[in-house]
Amino acid sequence: MRQHVNPLSKNFFEVDPIPPLNQIFENPKLPLHLDVGCASGDFLFELSLKNKNWNYIGIEIREKLVLNANLKMKSRENNNLYFSFGNANNIFSHSNNKSITEFITSISFNFPDPWFKKKHHKRRVIQPKLINFLSNSMKKGSLIFIKTDVRELFDHIELTISESIKFKKLAIKDVQFYESFNPSRIQTNREKYVILNQLKIYESIYKKI
Ligand SMILES: C[S@@+](CC[C@H](N)C(=O)[O-])C[C@H]1O[C@@H](n2cnc3c(N)ncnc32)[C@H](O)[C@@H]1O
């Protein structure tokens, strides 16, 4: 399976709207966490089984991974998890999805694709337009969690988010305290690899103020 797809390709201009929360979750009133770039969804399957008091949505641009995750959903009784296929940037800006953003308690960007070459930086998922949209539509107190093992990408993300006056960076010591969507600190597949190979993880949390 191809590891990378170009998120700016016209294949990803059209996105399916996420159905209203009461159609996808047994209890739509639970706090909602979004994981952007959820890949196979392993992380979310584990989280959603352990934390029945949260709802989770995974967004992934590789269609095959989402199809497989949805097949896996059919064989399980999972009423607090939903997978959405597409470019997160377009999913957020889709008119039907805008209202969902108001219900988000937290979002994680776990190990986003680094797109190392300068000419590819525009393919990175965290872009000024996305941050601007989130800063205007997420509710006060909601959180954004960032993790990456690529220092240069981390600096780029930090710079992009710091340009919004509506997000305040929290001290890293607060990570544990605030990681309420993942109290048992389940690791993503990339995180397991990074830890196994003793690479450094850069992380930050932002709060909508
Ligand atoms: C390096 S992988 C990390 C996967 C997982 N979060 C982890 O930590 O193991 C990055 C994932 O983000 C997805 N992705 C990249 N750009 C995206 C975008 N614009 N919208 C949604 N998903 C995207 C990729 O297809 C890939 O599955």
Side-chain angles (χ1 to χ4, degrees), residues 7 37 39 60-62 86-89 110-111 113 125 188-190:
E60 172 52 52
I61 201 166
R62 282 184 285 163
N87 177 350
N89 293 275
N110 288 312
F111 304 89
D113 287 336
V125 67
T188 71
N189 288 342
R190 175 71 193 174

Side-chain angles (χ1 to χ4, degrees), residues 3-5 7 35-40 43 59-62 65 84 86-89 91 109-115 123-125 188-191:
Q3 286 303 306
H4 289 104
V5 294
D35 186 48
V36 175
C38 64
S40 60
F43 172 64
I59 298 177
E60 172 52 52
I61 201 166
R62 282 184 285 163
L65 295 181
S84 180
N87 177 350
N89 293 275
I91 289 178
F109 292 87
N110 288 312
F111 304 89
D113 287 336
W115 294 107
R123 297 182 183 181
R124 290 175 170 175
V125 67
T188 71
N189 288 342
R190 175 71 193 174
E191 193 168 11

